[in-house]
Amino acid sequence: MLRRSFGDGADVSLFTLGTMRALQSPEQMLQVLRAALEAGINHLETAPAYGPAEAFLGKALAQLSKEGVAPADGGWVITSKLLPGQSFLSGREALESSLSRLGINRLDNLAIHGLNLDSHLEWVLSGEGARLIDWALASGKVRQVGFSSHGSNALIERAIASDRFRFCCLHLHLLDPTRMPLAQQALERSMGVLAISPADKGGRLQAPSEQLKVDCSPFQPLQLAYRFLLAAGISTLTVGARSAADLKLARSLAASEGPLDLEEQRALTHLEQQRESRLGHELCGQCRACLPCPNDVPIPELLRLRNLAHGHDLMEFAGERYNLIGRAGHWWETVDASQCDSCGDCLPRCPHQLPIPDLLAETHRLLAAAPRRRLWG
């Protein structure tokens, strides 16, 4: 598998093994790790928040080391995470515990996990987090520091511009490309960029609707999504795997880093045209001119879910995301469409003159009754 630069650290494979799905047993983690190695993956992403993932991964790495098995040209590159807001002492203990569970002396990449609020960024830049990062780097416990974020675009832009981080982990998706400009800003600063869950959170593309399959033909939706991100220069894409079969597509795209070919471009154009045709004058173009809302309704995000539900029959996915609102703290939106009081403040700002209050009301009726499933941010 081809590799790309990742900040100031070791080069990483085009695909990264995310370890939050192989949690049944250490044996399952070992099987997945062997499959990742066979696929050419050298980058592993884990976190203390992923339950037993670090402990299982540490045991699997120890077994492979005993067998003398590791990726060529540098071995494994490991990224783990720390939650923001904790004290210097608790953060240091958490990092040392991660290293112990993983069975390593130094972490290649430490991500501040969930840099979602202004207070989180302040913690990193001038609070206890700044002290923690300085210690982690100076002590040699960590090679470089980055962040993951589910926060606002403005917050992510400030984090990138702070020059405090050497990589970032962002939600970057074929069906939600609004953060691609942020990724490009990071790449221009020679930061590494990891795409968080381009499959599941990108529309559950590993199990797409029949309509989306037709809209992406002749490509699989997930294949087209992967190529869209890789062609844009994104450093690496996460793949959460429960078994070797989950890595099959990543393995087939191991050397797929070139620009989009003509057939891929046509497929992307067709995808957009089908969405536009079905939604007509009610398509939200995600320009965000409607914000801010006096009631803090996240209008673009809610209408994006409506776009997906009507545009590609992703009703189940959109409903699950909608019903997560208010249930995941700062990891996801907290206000749903029912909080729109039809004040009309957004109407003159919409360049397409969408009837936004009416669309929000319809979105709530459409998605609020959808079944719930744990689908974190």
Side-chain angles (χ1 to χ4, degrees):
M1 183 174 290
L2 293 175
R3 297 180 184 179
R4 287 179 170 171
S5 61
F6 198 70
D8 298 330
D11 291 352
V12 298
S13 45
L14 297 184
F15 291 89
T16 291
L17 176 66
T19 60
M20 69 180 300
R21 297 181 67 202
L23 303 180
Q24 292 181 355
S25 67
E27 292 72 25
Q28 181 194 29
M29 184 70 77
L30 179 59
Q31 292 174 3
V32 169
L33 202 56
R34 290 188 191 280
L37 186 65
E38 293 174 1
I41 290 174
N42 77 328
H43 187 209
L44 310 175
E45 180 266 335
T46 190
Y50 296 172
E54 284 186 332
F56 288 179
L57 181 58
K59 292 179 180 179
L61 290 170
Q63 178 60 38
L64 292 182
S65 177
K66 183 178 179 180
E67 299 172 10
V69 176
D73 301 325
W76 297 105
V77 179
I78 302 176
T79 295
S80 194
K81 304 173 180 178
L82 283 180
L83 294 171
Q86 53 192 312
S87 69
F88 168 75
L89 289 178
S90 63
R92 186 174 70 179
E93 291 174 0
L95 175 58
E96 290 177 336
S97 295
S98 287
L99 293 172
S100 177
R101 286 189 291 269
L102 291 167
I104 57 178
N105 296 319
R106 183 179 75 166
L107 195 62
D108 297 285
N109 308 309
L110 173 67
I112 305 304
H113 186 32
L115 198 73
N116 301 336
L117 304 175
D118 289 340
S119 59
H120 295 162
L121 185 56
E122 292 170 5
W123 175 83
V124 169
L125 299 182
S126 58
E128 288 280 271
R131 181 184 172 197
L132 176 62
I133 289 174
D134 288 341
W135 170 81
L137 294 171
S139 66
K141 300 286 186 182
V142 170
R143 183 170 181 177
Q144 64 176 352
V145 174
F147 70 93
S148 70
S149 182
H150 304 64
S152 69
N153 287 4
L155 175 65
I156 295 171
E157 189 168 20
R158 292 201 303 275
I160 291 171
S162 72
D163 290 327
R164 188 53 160 152
F165 306 103
R166 295 307 305 139
F167 67 92
C168 58
C169 310
L170 305 175
H171 279 292
L172 305 168
H173 307 303
L174 170 64
L175 298 178
D176 182 15
T178 54
R179 289 189 169 170
M180 291 299 287
L182 297 172
Q184 293 302 324
Q185 290 178 30
L187 292 170
E188 289 168 3
R189 290 175 174 269
S190 299
M191 294 173 62
V193 177
L194 180 148
I196 300 172
S197 189
D200 196 46
K201 307 306 185 297
R204 210 192 305 171
L205 303 184
Q206 75 277 16
S209 68
E210 292 301 317
Q211 186 62 70
L212 186 62
K213 291 179 183 178
V214 173
D215 293 342
C216 292
S217 181
F219 302 98
Q220 302 174 44
L222 186 53
Q223 179 184 6
L224 193 61
Y226 283 165
R227 283 290 298 130
F228 169 76
L229 294 171
L230 291 174
I234 303 306
S235 309
T236 184
L237 319 181
T238 55
V239 181
R242 288 193 178 96
S243 67
D246 294 327
L247 296 172
K248 183 178 180 180
L249 181 57
R251 184 172 186 172
S252 72
L253 296 175
S256 183
E257 71 165 355
L260 296 171
D261 62 29
L262 185 59
E263 190 173 28
E264 290 168 333
Q265 293 176 36
R266 288 173 176 166
L268 287 174
T269 298
H270 181 258
L271 176 68
E272 294 173 2
Q273 289 175 340
Q274 293 299 103
R275 181 166 59 247
E276 292 171 0
S277 174
R278 294 180 187 122
L279 284 152
H281 67 279
E282 294 184 345
L283 173 69
C284 174
Q286 298 290 287
C287 69
R288 310 186 74 82
C290 55
L291 298 178
C293 168
N295 291 337
D296 295 324
V297 176
I299 299 170
E301 184 59 37
L302 301 184
L303 294 188
R304 184 183 73 85
L305 295 178
R306 183 181 183 277
N307 284 352
L308 297 180
H310 287 303
H312 305 296
D313 194 26
L314 295 178
M315 194 72 70
E316 186 176 1
F317 170 78
E320 288 166 351
R321 297 300 293 174
Y322 187 80
N323 283 293
L324 187 61
I325 294 172
R327 298 170 56 219
H330 57 72
W331 295 90
W332 182 229
E333 306 293 351
T334 58
V335 178
D336 68 20
S338 68
Q339 299 307 303
C340 172
D341 61 8
S342 300
C343 70
D345 189 70
C346 56
L347 293 175
R349 296 199 299 269
C350 178
H352 302 292
Q353 299 182 322
L354 294 180
I356 293 175
D358 293 342
L359 297 183
L360 289 174
E362 189 256 345
T363 297
H364 185 68
R365 291 193 301 271
L366 180 73
L367 301 180
R372 296 185 177 189
R373 180 175 72 99
R374 184 175 179 179
L375 193 69
W376 291 106

